[in-house]
Amino acid sequence: TMSTIKTVKDPKDKAAQLTDFTTLTQLQAGGGTACVPEGTYLREVVMNKFPRANYSDCPSPNECVQRLRDGVCSLYVDDELALRYRALNDRSLEVTGEQFNTQYIVWPISYNMDREKSLLLKKWMYTSVSNATLDDLSYKYFDVKVCPLGLAGPSCDKKCDPKHGTSDRDGKCICQSSKWTGEDCSIEVEEDLNLYPDWEVYLAYALFAINAFACLLCFVWVHLKRYTRLVKLWQPFFLKFILLGCFVSSASIIPTTQQSEGDGPVYGCMVFPWLYCIGFSITLGTLLSKIFRVYRLFQAASRAQRVTITARETLLMIFGITIVDVAVIAVWSGVAPLHWKRTITSTDHFGQPLSSAGYCTSDYWKVFVTIIVAWHLVLMLMASYLCYLTRNISSQFAESKYLAISLFSNLQITVVSTPVLIIVKADPSTSLFIRSIVIWINDFAILAIIFGNLMYSVHTIKVEIDISTAVSMFSVPAESEAARRRSDRRLSVIALRPLEEQ
């Protein structure tokens, strides 16, 4: 038979965790300490082979194990069979893979032994090797007992899928991959596709339905009140265009809910920017052209000049603003359209996918998104500047205050939501939720601020201001606020003709 020197360590030992010595070579290089039984031949072999290592002589193997637990030494060196027997009965010990100085042990037989006894002893030795008696003894005293392949349990009477699991020393079936689970490792774990939750999809539909109903309600109200003075001043034409833009923009929520369990195709990826950008351009272009129209009219009136702004000019302004978004989206669709991509986020140690995430992407999406966001910011800043120029015009003609509030709301939402959406792009559920909420708030805020205030003014305000006073307030900014407050206190009602006639 033979004897081999090996090492054992205690994984729970704090000192071993800090240095993590697995071999005596590592221990010697790191200045660690090894426990060896004193007064043994093994001690001399180890110290000759690793002279620069630190050693702690133990009077007994039990003392070596105790010092190993106490952190006095990082490794305990002894005979392999002795160490394996200790590790078998003490699970806190771990036999390392290092082995060296294998020695063959010979059983001496006296020359004076009776010849018959000598033959019987030799026969027993050869027989014990040939009939696996020594193997059985080795398995009984030095090997960890596990159930045969395909079985598990304390009595090895339970099933353990032989393809995906093996039994440990306690009889528990241990799955070889996290893709399999169950007591017998026969249940396959389905890949987590991170699809949109049903409640989130229903929420997106509900948000669109709220805005669509609000647009319809406002459209019916504008049509019924189209002959009232304030609605005429606001122009039903402009109001309906604003409603159209809000409806188209809110409709972009629907394609964002489309998804695929694979790599697509998902046509909603490219439909979303088309709907949102066109709806945003129509809404903002209408607000911008409306406030610009009022500014030009009052500026000409303050200079005693006559100016005519036709509906065609206004439509061309809205069309010009919208065509920029259309051109950018068209180039985007032709060069590198958005497409659905599914990326594996985690795998087991065999490379089998455990989870993945799908999202819309393209090669140059950052470039086109930057262009669109920059263009929208320019439009909002232009509109904000016009609101500042018309701040002294009576709210019955311009509503610059409420336009400024809605523009500031759009600007704030755009600036905050854009980086957030980029950050959560790889998280489909969070991305859908934020996109839906942002679009809904953006459009609903415009509807509530503009149409809510208009409805309130039509049904509650009875004091009106004439055009001459409004022009005077616009012409003299320093006195405009005081003049406005005085005019709002007047009790008489002055009938006005439509703004274009005056």
Side-chain angles (χ1 to χ4, degrees), residues 226-273:
R226 63 187 182 278
Y227 297 117
T228 59
R229 177 181 168 278
L230 287 178
V231 175
K232 280 186 176 181
L233 292 176
W234 260 88
Q235 295 297 306
F237 167 78
F238 286 106
L239 295 174
K240 292 178 181 178
F241 252 78
I242 293 174
L243 292 174
L244 175 62
C246 289
F247 178 81
V248 174
S249 176
S250 298
S252 64
I253 296 177
I254 301 302
T256 62
T257 61
Q258 296 184 14
Q259 57 184 336
S260 171
E261 295 184 358
D263 290 325
V266 176
Y267 300 106
C269 286
M270 205 62 220
V271 173
F272 166 72

Side-chain angles (χ1 to χ4, degrees), residues 421-484:
L421 286 172
I422 294 176
I423 293 173
V424 301
K425 178 176 178 289
D427 186 351
S429 179
T430 306
S431 180
L432 172 63
F433 180 80
I434 294 178
R435 276 202 308 269
S436 303
I437 292 295
V438 166
I439 297 172
W440 176 75
I441 291 179
N442 197 31
D443 294 328
F444 190 80
I446 294 176
L447 296 175
I449 293 172
I450 294 179
F451 289 89
N453 176 70
L454 183 59
M455 292 178 183
Y456 175 79
S457 301
V458 169
H459 293 286
T460 60
I461 294 179
K462 302 301 180 183
V463 178
E464 300 177 354
I465 185 171
D466 58 26
I467 188 66
S468 59
T469 304
V471 172
S472 300
M473 295 166 59
F474 174 74
S475 303
V476 188
E479 301 176 359
S480 60
E481 293 299 327
R484 181 182 298 181

Side-chain angles (χ1 to χ4, degrees), residues 109-115:
I109 300 177
S110 175
Y111 286 105
N112 298 324
M113 182 179 293
D114 182 74
R115 185 173 183 275

Side-chain angles (χ1 to χ4, degrees), residues 369-436:
V369 169
T370 301
I371 295 174
I372 293 172
V373 171
W375 170 241
H376 289 179
L377 288 176
V378 169
L379 292 178
M380 286 187 282
L381 291 175
M382 291 173 57
S384 300
Y385 178 69
L386 286 174
C387 288
Y388 173 78
L389 295 178
T390 59
R391 67 191 184 280
N392 295 314
I393 299 178
S394 173
S395 60
Q396 297 183 21
F397 297 95
E399 295 286 358
S400 59
K401 173 183 176 182
Y402 299 100
L403 287 175
I405 293 175
S406 61
L407 288 172
F408 179 76
S409 173
N410 282 351
L411 181 62
Q412 187 179 32
I413 292 173
T414 302
V415 171
V416 173
S417 63
T418 300
V420 173
L421 286 172
I422 294 176
I423 293 173
V424 301
K425 178 176 178 289
D427 186 351
S429 179
T430 306
S431 180
L432 172 63
F433 180 80
I434 294 178
R435 276 202 308 269
S436 303

